[in-house]
């Protein structure tokens, strides 16, 4: 069940993306070649929250993919992302999703902006680790994008911390940039492109 198999009628290959975040599904589907289709957790009857109990992105990413593979039997991939801010010693890092104690992006961004008040070094990076489980084997792919933490929230596109992250080479935050621009250059795009190269080499 659930192998990265080809549908002979459509020539389409299907993989489960182990995430409950529709923004991530949209972003990753837009990056994949047309013959790789991703389905979400609810499509395989998984409605529970995936475990994330470790203190590194690598371990949490692996934990989520292994959970889906072990419990549901599908070839799948997962990803875990962190915002790493130099002046905060790499925080929020693995705590990015609930930095202010909840998953609320407004509270999380406010906490970062408060801690960064008056700070000159505003350098930061988004880092993502993808874990792919294919035929029982595990593969990991990393992507990151460097940038600066803005002084205030700006823009309405995207999700999470996008309104306070200005990628290097740009004046605008991820939330001000056209979504397509973010999709091309994001941490997730870089990790996803490495995974796609690998998947393509397996076909
Ligand atoms: P997780 O990987 O789903 O645990 O996400 C970690 C945190 O990073 C969440 O708060 C997300 O909203 C945030 N996050 C993940 N990817 C992005 C992104 O591309 N832009 C802004 N925030 C992100």
């Amino acid at each position: 069940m659930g192998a990265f198999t080809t549908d002979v009628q459509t020539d389409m290959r299907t993989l489960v993306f182990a995430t409950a975040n529709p923004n991530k599904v949209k972003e990753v589907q837009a990056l994949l070649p047309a013959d790789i289709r991703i389905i979400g957790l609810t499509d395989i009857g998984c409605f529970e929250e995936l475990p994330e109990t470790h203190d590194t992105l690598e371990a949490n990413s692996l934990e989520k993919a292994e959970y889906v593979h072990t419990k549901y039997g599908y070839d799948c991939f997962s990803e875990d992302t962190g915002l790493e801010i130099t002046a905060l010693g790499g925080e929020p890092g693995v705590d990015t999703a609930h930095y202010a104690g909840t998953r609320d992006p407004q509270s999380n961004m406010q906490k970062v902006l408060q801690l960064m008040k008056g700070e000159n070094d505003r350098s930061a990076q988004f880092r993502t680790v993808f874990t792919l489980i294919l035929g029982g084997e595990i593969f990991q792919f990393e992507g990151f994008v460097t940038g600066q933490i803005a002084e205030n929230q700006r823009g309405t596109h995207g999700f999470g911390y996008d309104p306070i992250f200005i990628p290097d080479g740009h004046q605008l935050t991820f939330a001000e940039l056209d979504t397509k621009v973010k999709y091309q250059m994001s941490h997730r795009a870089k990790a996803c492109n490495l995974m796609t190269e690998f998947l393509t080499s397996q076909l």
Side-chain angles (χ1 to χ4, degrees):
M1 169 171 70
F4 184 55
T5 48
T6 306
D7 177 326
V8 285
Q9 279 173 0
T10 61
D11 205 26
M12 185 78 90
R13 289 160 186 86
T14 301
L15 266 181
V16 175
F17 185 6
T19 182
N21 185 333
N23 295 295
K24 291 183 178 178
V25 175
K26 229 187 288 171
E27 188 171 336
V28 169
Q29 185 67 77
L31 292 163
L32 290 172
D35 62 346
I36 300 178
R37 183 173 68 108
I38 51 176
I39 57 174
L41 291 175
T42 54
D43 298 314
I44 59 166
C46 172
F47 296 97
E48 64 271 26
E49 194 165 336
L50 300 182
E52 287 183 71
T53 59
H54 298 280
D55 58 7
T56 65
L57 300 178
E58 284 79 1
N60 280 336
S61 176
L62 176 62
E63 186 176 25
K64 289 188 275 192
E66 279 189 323
Y67 179 90
V68 170
H69 183 254
T70 304
K71 186 156 180 203
Y72 294 92
Y74 287 91
D75 282 343
C76 62
F77 67 96
S78 64
E79 62 92 88
D80 203 44
T81 298
L83 175 62
E84 299 171 334
I85 302 175
T86 310
L88 302 182
E91 283 191 9
V94 76
D95 295 324
T96 299
H98 33 75
Y99 196 36
T102 71
R103 281 193 165 262
D104 174 41
Q106 283 303 323
S107 314
N108 286 333
M109 283 187 287
Q110 283 313 317
K111 178 167 179 183
V112 168
L113 290 176
Q114 193 61 35
L115 290 171
M116 290 294 287
K117 229 177 206 158
E119 180 60 56
N120 289 328
D121 179 3
R122 306 194 72 83
S123 61
Q125 65 175 7
F126 271 118
R127 194 165 70 86
T128 291
V129 178
F130 272 50
T131 301
L132 170 69
I133 303 188
L134 197 61
E137 282 193 76
I138 294 166
F139 307 91
Q140 289 197 311
F141 308 91
E142 182 190 67
F144 60 89
V145 58
T146 56
Q148 302 285 314
I149 299 298
E151 300 280 350
N152 302 294
Q153 291 186 39
R154 297 179 350 222
T156 54
H157 300 303
F159 68 100
Y161 293 77
D162 281 346
I164 61 167
F165 185 80
I166 305 167
D168 283 344
H170 293 263
Q171 307 291 325
L172 302 177
T173 66
F174 263 162
E176 291 176 307
L177 285 166
D178 190 293
T179 308
K180 285 193 192 123
V181 176
K182 179 191 168 190
Y183 283 5
Q184 294 309 317
M185 63 180 299
S186 76
H187 43 299
R188 197 166 295 104
K190 289 178 181 162
C192 186
N193 290 341
L194 290 176
M195 183 177 76
T196 302
E197 256 173 54
F198 174 77
L199 286 171
T200 306
S201 74
Q202 299 295 298
L203 299 177

